[in-house]
Amino acid sequence: MNKVHHIGIASEDLNLALYALGTDKSKIKEVIDDTIQHNILHFIHQENSDLWIEIIIPKNDNSTIQNFVKKNKMGLHHIGFLCDNINDVEQKFNSSVEAVKLGKYHTTVDSFGGKISTIFFAIKGMIVEYVETGNE
Amino acid sequence: MEISQVEKIVAQFFIEREGDEIMKVIKKIDFVDEGIIDSLDIVSLAEYLQIKFNKKIDITKYETLQAFHSFNDIVKLVS
């Protein structure tokens, strides 16, 4: 199994998510305005487990998590795994009818080391993301 | 109303959610505009179709998302 890189928490409200996670705004390392998925992303690094937590707040009705937060208010949205080659991951999941591809993106997250490639799949209601870093 | 086997399978997804009454209007309505399916349901529908028809459905394509508005277009997509 690939290393868990981050967990994505979707919430209608940032303070609510910080409260649930037992932390505060001072721990946020980076904030990104995701204009592709219409979300604001907040990255927190948990040092003792070397795990990133991504708090996703919808920007508007076009947000990719808008319906999720309408139904759940807040919740675990996805698990992000590191991978060496995103194309291999895509090929693997594309060969199965159990997995539905949600999107593939190339973006920059300084906390993740700069340019990254990322792909999302839904499998029986669970969303997994694979992240390929080191694309500078 | 005569319906094909493919139509029956597609219709089953909506019957399970909306009940048998949906069959009276299933070929006339826009599932998205009517609020019958949202973005989360689109993922569920894609998964359902993939498994039932053993065919990949690419919801990252605009044409696929447009097809999900209409029963007849969904049937065409998987036929």
Side-chain angles (χ1 to χ4, degrees):
Chain A
M1 186 168 72
N2 294 52
K3 182 186 176 189
V4 176
H5 175 261
H6 70 272
I7 56 172
I9 307 287
S11 177
E12 63 179 2
D13 179 76
L14 176 61
N15 290 326
L16 183 66
L18 291 168
Y19 172 73
L21 294 167
T23 189
D24 60 64
K25 283 182 181 170
S26 70
K27 301 294 182 189
I28 297 172
K29 300 278 191 193
E30 186 176 1
V31 178
I32 289 182
D33 181 354
D34 181 350
T35 56
I36 300 169
Q37 299 185 79
H38 301 276
N39 298 316
I40 302 289
L41 313 176
H42 307 76
F43 294 96
I44 296 172
H45 189 238
Q46 192 182 42
E47 304 290 344
N48 55 8
S49 60
D50 189 25
L51 183 73
W52 286 95
I53 295 173
E54 176 185 10
I55 302 173
I56 314 156
I57 309 292
K59 280 173 68 177
N60 52 46
D61 286 346
N62 295 321
S63 160
T64 51
I65 63 159
Q66 180 65 8
N67 286 315
F68 181 95
V69 298
K70 264 188 191 168
K71 287 186 179 176
N72 303 303
K73 306 292 183 195
M74 179 171 65
L76 176 59
H77 181 261
H78 67 266
I79 300 176
F81 293 96
L82 268 182
C83 69
D84 294 328
N85 188 322
I86 207 159
N87 294 323
D88 289 347
V89 171
E90 183 174 18
Q91 194 174 7
K92 175 188 152 193
F93 282 110
N94 274 346
S95 67
S96 164
V97 291
E98 304 282 343
V100 176
K101 187 168 85 173
L102 303 178
K104 185 179 182 184
Y105 310 97
H106 304 284
T107 187
T108 300
V109 181
D110 289 337
S111 296
F112 294 174
K115 286 184 181 171
I116 63 164
S117 298
T118 179
I119 192 165
F120 290 85
F121 284 93
I123 304 161
K124 299 288 180 193
M126 179 173 158
I127 299 176
V128 292
E129 176 185 4
Y130 281 82
V131 181
E132 180 186 327
T133 60
N135 289 340
E136 288 291 2
Chain B
M1 179 172 61
E2 282 286 315
I3 65 170
S4 69
Q5 187 60 27
V6 171
E7 288 177 322
K8 275 184 191 169
I9 294 169
V10 174
Q12 191 59 36
F13 177 86
F14 295 97
I15 291 170
E16 283 173 12
R17 284 160 179 260
E18 303 292 323
D20 291 334
E21 289 292 300
I22 189 87
M23 290 308 292
K24 291 178 183 169
V25 293
I26 200 165
K27 290 190 175 181
K28 300 172 192 165
I29 55 172
D30 184 312
F31 296 125
V32 177
D33 288 353
E34 295 288 335
I36 290 174
I37 57 173
D38 64 19
S39 60
L40 297 178
D41 301 319
I42 283 169
V43 177
S44 301
L45 176 57
E47 182 184 294
Y48 174 85
L49 297 172
Q50 285 190 169
I51 291 169
K52 292 291 182 184
F53 296 99
N54 194 32
K55 180 178 183 178
K56 290 298 283 188
I57 305 291
D58 188 351
I59 60 170
T60 66
K61 283 186 179 172
Y62 175 77
E63 300 79 26
T64 307
L65 291 178
Q66 285 304 109
F68 276 18
H69 283 250
S70 135
F71 180 79
N72 289 333
D73 288 342
I74 297 170
V75 170
K76 278 183 207 158
L77 190 69
V78 294
S79 296

